[in-house]
Amino acid sequence: MQESRPEVYARVRSHIEDVYPMLSDLYQDLHEHPELSGHEVRTAGVLAEAIGSGPYAVTRGIGGHGVVGICRNGERPAVMVRSDMDALPITEETGLSYASCMKTTDGRGMQVGVMHACGHDVHMAVLAGIGRVMGAMRDAWQGTLILVGQPSEEMVSGAQAMVSEGLFSLTGPPTFALSYHVGPGLPQGTIGYREGIFSAGSDSLDLVVRGIGGHAAHPDETRDPVVIAAHIILALQTIISREVHPREFAVLTVAAVHGGTKHNAIPDEVHLQVNIRYYQESVRALLLAAVQRVATGIAIAMGVPSDLAPTLTLLNESVPPLVNDPDLTLRLAGVLSAAIGSAQVVRIEPLTGSEDFGIFAGSLPGLKSCYLRIGIDPTGPIPSLGKGGLKLHSSRFAPDASKVIREGTFAMVAALLDLLQPVPYEGK
């Protein structure tokens, strides 16, 4: 006799409780031993071991330190579930018994602390939970389940690296791709979804403002790039207020200014680190052109020769907007509403943060993808967390991992059991 959905979900809950002690240990281990983007050697090994103990063929080293686990329980449909793995250069201040004490040297040669301040440790524990539960319930689904541990998400480069190094040649083309992220602002146990644009595209830019340096006692003999850069920084903000349509989303941030070495020496150039965010490609094109135009115009107006005009370089820390497939997203919203209650499934506004998960679907025609948020805000106060305890990229970031791992695993397994039904979903 075929089980009813409530009976299947009860089995899922039971399996989660059976494996939760292992997931808790895994989470705390990963939290205590974080690694920066591109350096996830130990992390990849720990995650591969957690996945590989089930019915999965595990491959490592895809796109750097990427991990791929494949369980073939029938060929089609095939569903890929991705977790990110990297941590951030932040010194932890949570006071947790398993807080990170890791230190490393970053790309600038500076010693920095390392911390999972964005929930990637939770994401990996959920991925391992998905693997264990789906492995134990192969009688309830058919198809191929692909578990992906992606490196370098914080540098928005890991997804492209995995694709470029043959991820889909290894796995075969998935039918669907799913991912998730812990969500401040959403109550614990709540799943946030949105069809269409889910989060912003982002570009990081280096803007070099050149001038003519000299002695601070003789500024008239120079063309001071510090002053020119100051004018450019202020003028760039008017691009948003005066050139972007009021109903379009755009953000432009000058996040760092570097120039000069001595109090009485005017430098030859100043380096600005700029970030733009957008939902529409037309807005991106407008911003890129306007930044160059405004910077060049101000520099020339302030007496800089045209051959020393500012130069703009687009870095590889760039990513397009993340767009959820509408049909798949609305389908899963319905599935999750039935599984955890409609009050716990919330349509959210597009996010201004950025994410490289969309690279997977963008590189494989026909691949439908959906990205979800897993709520972490408690129903009551948690005084011990202090300010920033539930803010991403905070040194005090400390969600209630036990609840988030359990609820995240359940929600993702419920989604997978629907997508991996004996009769494949055709969609529109």
Side-chain angles (χ1 to χ4, degrees):
M1 179 181 295
Q2 188 174 11
E3 292 177 291
S4 66
R5 277 294 164 187
E7 290 172 325
V8 172
Y9 292 153
R11 284 178 60 196
V12 173
R13 292 283 190 192
S14 177
H15 283 300
I16 290 173
E17 291 308 311
D18 289 343
V19 300
Y20 182 74
M22 181 278 293
L23 300 180
S24 179
D25 289 344
L26 173 66
Y27 162 73
Q28 292 189 22
D29 182 22
L30 293 168
H31 187 93
E32 191 172 357
H33 302 94
E35 293 172 303
L36 294 180
S37 304
H39 300 276
E40 309 93 337
V41 179
R42 181 185 185 277
T43 302
V46 171
L47 182 61
E49 183 178 356
I51 293 172
S53 60
Y56 297 86
V58 176
T59 302
R60 291 179 57 183
I62 304 295
H65 302 296
V67 177
V68 181
I70 305 174
C71 178
R72 300 194 187 278
N73 193 36
E75 286 302 313
R76 306 296 290 175
V79 183
M80 167 186 146
V81 184
R82 171 272 212 173
S83 165
D84 32 26
M85 303 194 303
D86 50 335
L88 289 158
I90 295 173
T91 299
E92 182 162 355
E93 297 180 308
T94 62
L96 295 169
S97 61
Y98 49 89
S100 167
C101 295
M102 302 294 289
K103 302 284 184 182
T104 193
T105 302
D106 67 10
R108 302 168 298 165
M110 305 284 290
Q111 188 177 62
V112 294
V114 187
M115 178 191 175
H116 273 298
C118 199
H120 296 188
D121 45 358
V122 175
H123 303 167
M124 287 184 279
V126 169
L127 190 73
I130 292 167
R132 293 297 180 94
V133 174
M134 292 295 287
M137 294 185 64
R138 281 171 287 168
D139 61 316
W141 60 276
Q142 73 171 31
T144 298
L145 177 59
I146 304 163
L147 304 180
V148 173
Q150 181 207 303
S152 296
E153 186 277 333
E154 295 293 353
M155 300 290 287
V156 292
S157 61
Q160 185 60 61
M162 295 193 78
V163 170
S164 297
E165 292 191 15
L167 171 65
F168 295 135
S169 296
L170 173 69
T171 65
T175 315
F176 308 108
L178 307 181
S179 192
Y180 47 86
H181 201 291
V182 293
L186 286 173
Q188 284 178 165
T190 297
I191 300 297
Y193 76 94
R194 186 177 184 86
E195 73 281 13
I197 293 176
F198 190 91
S199 64
S202 173
D203 287 288
S204 291
L205 318 169
D206 278 347
L207 180 61
V208 178
V209 180
R210 295 181 174 86
I212 300 172
H215 201 295
H218 304 286
D220 55 305
E221 298 175 359
T222 73
R223 292 293 179 265
D224 189 343
V226 176
V227 175
I228 297 169
H231 280 270
I232 289 172
I233 290 168
L234 294 176
L236 290 180
Q237 301 308 311
T238 63
I239 296 172
I240 304 299
S241 65
R242 289 296 177 268
E243 297 193 41
V244 177
H245 193 285
R247 287 194 293 270
E248 296 281 10
F249 165 76
V251 173
L252 190 157
T253 300
V254 179
V257 182
H258 304 280
T261 58
K262 188 70 173 66
H263 297 76
N264 62 351
I266 294 172
D268 286 318
E269 60 184 38
V270 172
H271 293 227
L272 305 181
Q273 292 175 295
V274 183
N275 181 261
I276 62 171
R277 292 174 185 269
Y278 59 92
Y279 293 146
Q280 302 297 334
E281 184 62 30
S282 59
V283 173
R284 175 182 183 265
L286 183 157
L287 293 175
L288 291 175
V291 169
Q292 181 69 74
R293 170 175 49 79
V294 168
T296 299
I298 289 175
I300 291 175
M302 298 187 74
V304 173
S306 59
D307 62 333
L308 293 180
T311 57
L312 188 66
T313 303
L314 183 64
L315 304 185
N316 60 5
E317 296 179 25
S318 300
V319 66
L322 173 56
V323 181
N324 278 342
D325 179 79
D327 292 334
L328 174 61
T329 303
L330 294 175
R331 175 188 179 180
L332 293 183
V335 169
L336 293 173
S337 293
I340 64 176
S342 58
Q344 301 297 103
V345 181
V346 181
R347 185 174 186 267
I348 61 176
E349 292 299 312
L351 304 175
T352 58
S354 299
E355 158 69 59
D356 69 347
F357 172 66
I359 295 291
F360 293 110
S363 66
L364 192 63
L367 175 57
K368 298 177 181 293
S369 66
C370 178
Y371 189 86
L372 300 168
R373 297 281 272 193
I374 302 170
I376 62 172
D377 276 9
T379 54
I382 305 180
S384 62
L385 288 180
K387 185 178 180 181
L390 291 177
K391 295 183 183 298
L392 298 179
H393 294 209
S394 164
S395 62
R396 294 180 175 84
F397 181 70
D400 185 342
S402 65
K403 292 184 179 180
V404 180
I405 291 169
R406 284 180 167 96
E407 294 307 314
T409 301
F410 179 79
M412 296 309 298
V413 169
L416 288 167
L417 291 176
D418 187 76
L419 296 177
L420 291 167
Q421 293 181 78
V423 179
Y425 168 63
E426 298 297 336
K428 293 183 179 179

